[in-house]
Amino acid sequence: MTDDERWMESAFLEAEQAFKRKEVPVGAIVMKDGKVIGRGYNQTETLKDPTAHAEMIAITAAAMHIGNHRLEGCTLYVTLEPCPMCAGAIVLARISRLVYGAPDPKAGACTTLYKITQDSRLNHQVDLTGGILEPRCSTILKDFFGKIRGKTMGKPEMN
């Protein structure tokens, strides 16, 4: 197992927490010098906050941990390709490297629909690696949305 796979496993554990809480199962961790300094999972339903994505929560936790809004030298691992909001936050935080699991064909803003983290017109670009543990990261999302489609109203029933 590579280091990227090992750390993506940690992000995946966060995604499982979201799944258990009936949130879209996306998880993220921020690493610096071989240590996790921030972690998060989607909590938009729980917090009633459209910005409570896994990446945003992990970035905020990491910034608080180091006492700085700039996360230079950090790597963000996230199970799903970040959306435009999260990609923008990654650039603003000056995160050095982004590693994601599954591409997002509906909102991916790093390679799939947009390339925000790679845009040379912005003041920072991010080293990018995608597809780490992609099958596993995709499957949990498919399982989640499959359960939602099985329900006509309300949150999905999950055990």
Side-chain angles (χ1 to χ4, degrees), residues 7-95:
W7 294 120
M8 187 60 74
E9 284 286 345
S10 292
F12 189 82
L13 292 174
E14 295 296 316
E16 289 179 323
Q17 290 301 311
F19 190 96
K20 289 176 189 172
R21 289 168 173 75
K22 301 177 183 164
E23 296 276 2
V24 175
V26 177
I29 62 166
V30 177
M31 302 289 303
K32 184 169 179 77
D33 300 325
K35 295 180 181 154
V36 177
I37 62 166
R39 59 180 67 244
Y41 56 85
N42 276 3
Q43 296 183 56
T44 58
E45 296 290 334
T46 302
L47 298 177
K48 309 292 186 249
D49 179 356
T51 69
H53 289 196
E55 302 95 318
M56 302 296 278
I57 292 168
I59 289 168
T60 299
M64 292 186 71
H65 179 82
I66 65 169
N68 194 330
H69 66 284
R70 298 235 168 112
L71 299 176
E72 295 165 327
C74 292
T75 299
L76 172 66
Y77 288 86
V78 61
T79 58
L80 181 66
E81 179 184 359
C83 71
M85 173 184 70
C86 294
I90 291 163
V91 170
L92 291 173
R94 310 282 198 288
I95 289 174

Side-chain angles (χ1 to χ4, degrees), residues 140-151:
I140 194 171
L141 288 160
K142 288 175 188 168
D143 290 349
F144 178 83
F145 288 111
K147 288 181 187 279
I148 285 179
R149 286 185 209 106
K151 301 293 288 177

